[in-house]
Amino acid sequence: MTHPSLPPARGKLIENAALAPYTWFRVGGPADVLFLPEDEADLAAFLAALDPAIPVTALGVGSNVIVRDGGIPGVVIRLMGRAWGEVMKTGELELTAGAGALDLAVAKAAAKHGLTGLEFLSGIPGSLGGATRTNAGCYGRELKDVLVRLEGVTRSGERRTYGAGYAPVEFTYRHTDLPDDFIVTRLVLAASGAGDAAEIAGAIDTLQARRAETQPIKEKTSGSTFANPDPPGTPDQRSAWKLIDAAGCRGLKVGGAQVSPMHCNFLINTGEATAADLEALGELVRARVFDASGVSLRWEVRRIGRLHAGSESA
Ligand SMILES: Cc1cc2nc3c(=O)[nH]c(=O)nc-3n(C[C@H](O)[C@H](O)[C@H](O)COP(=O)(O)OP(=O)(O)OC[C@H]3O[C@@H](n4cnc5c(N)ncnc54)[C@H](O)[C@@H]3O)c2cc1C
């Protein structure tokens, strides 16, 4: 697609917009068009009027994606700005938040209101929209465990609500069955109970300190590259990092991409990596793990876009 005829919008529309700065890996090509909707009505009207042949991709804060070097075809939608990041207490044990809110901000807002059960969100460096799509989780809890309902907009611009009493949605390990081009705009989340604000804030600080000791959170990375081969709860669950370590891949490099010496299920961009380097390194790791253990690792990081400028492959 070169110059799509785009419907009018109140928010910003930017053609050939660089995306690498919006991703943790800092790699990848541009979006044909980047749309920063002003609010949900703006998003819905834009999608309703957009040529249905033009693909649409949501991008959160890019902490779980490799945007490929050829960039993303069609329209990329990011929910940026104060309106999308609002977090409000809307019930005794309930918060309502925009899908652009950072998970950490939601955890901190819960703490401020003396609400327990949302602390785990502080360990996930993404937005609520991304957390919904990936059913993000850590420390034994996942987004689905705290979700009351979610709202969003379909590709054709229709507003839809999912959750108890609304359209059904299924969450599994790091996955939801929401339509691929559904844009999540708002979530209602349930806390487990009431507690002391300072104690909850202290628990968040402890979780964050633990993360900093065990994960390369200051690097250009995207978290766990591969899903653990066995679902959570499986007895003697095998972990991806142990298989990668046993296959001798800790510190392995392709171009500017490296398997993190600190946590070998994390890939890092050491400075000049391309998306192709990261993907090639990931595939090399998969091949070595398969040779060493017979396990075929599944990518958890989402690889999106065209391999090369002008190519159609996505
Ligand atoms: C250091 C580090 C540690 C991490 N630790 C964890 C962890 O413990 N647990 C965990 O689960 N993950 C972890 N991750 C991965 C990542 O933070 C999560 O997957 C996060 O939920 C992704 O959110 P995001 O906003 O960055 O989404 P992106 O990476 O921008 O997008 C991820 C997916 O969500 C979709 N998406 C984004 N916004 C929306 C929206 N509004 N509507 C619909 N779809 C949308 C995108 O299209 C894409 O498919 C970690 C990442 C890093 C870098």
Side-chain angles (χ1 to χ4, degrees), residues 58 60-64 125 127 131 133-134 136-137 174 182 184 211 223 302:
V61 296
S63 64
N64 196 226
S127 67
R133 170 68 63 195
T134 63
R174 302 293 174 265
F182 183 77
V184 180
R211 286 240 147 193
R302 284 146 197 259

Side-chain angles (χ1 to χ4, degrees), residues 24 57-65 79 99 103 123-127 129-131 133-138 174 182-184 211 215 217 221-224 266 300 302:
W24 269 60
T57 306
L59 188 65
V61 296
S63 64
N64 196 226
V65 290
L79 308 182
D103 301 320
I124 304 161
S127 67
R133 170 68 63 195
T134 63
N135 187 25
C138 52
R174 302 293 174 265
F182 183 77
I183 311 291
V184 180
R211 286 240 147 193
Q215 295 184 355
I217 55 170
T221 181
S222 217
S224 296
F266 281 45
E300 185 171 308
R302 284 146 197 259

Side-chain angles (χ1 to χ4, degrees), residues 117-118 120 135-137 140-148 171 190 192:
L118 295 160
F120 76 99
N135 187 25
R141 300 208 91 186
E142 296 174 318
L143 195 272
K144 74 169 172 50
D145 301 326
V146 295
L147 183 73
V148 178
F171 289 92
S192 325

Side-chain angles (χ1 to χ4, degrees), residues 108-135:
K108 285 188 172 172
K112 197 179 100 194
H113 291 297
L115 297 175
T116 61
L118 295 160
E119 297 87 338
F120 76 99
L121 286 172
S122 66
I124 304 161
S127 67
L128 272 190
T132 309
R133 170 68 63 195
T134 63
N135 187 25

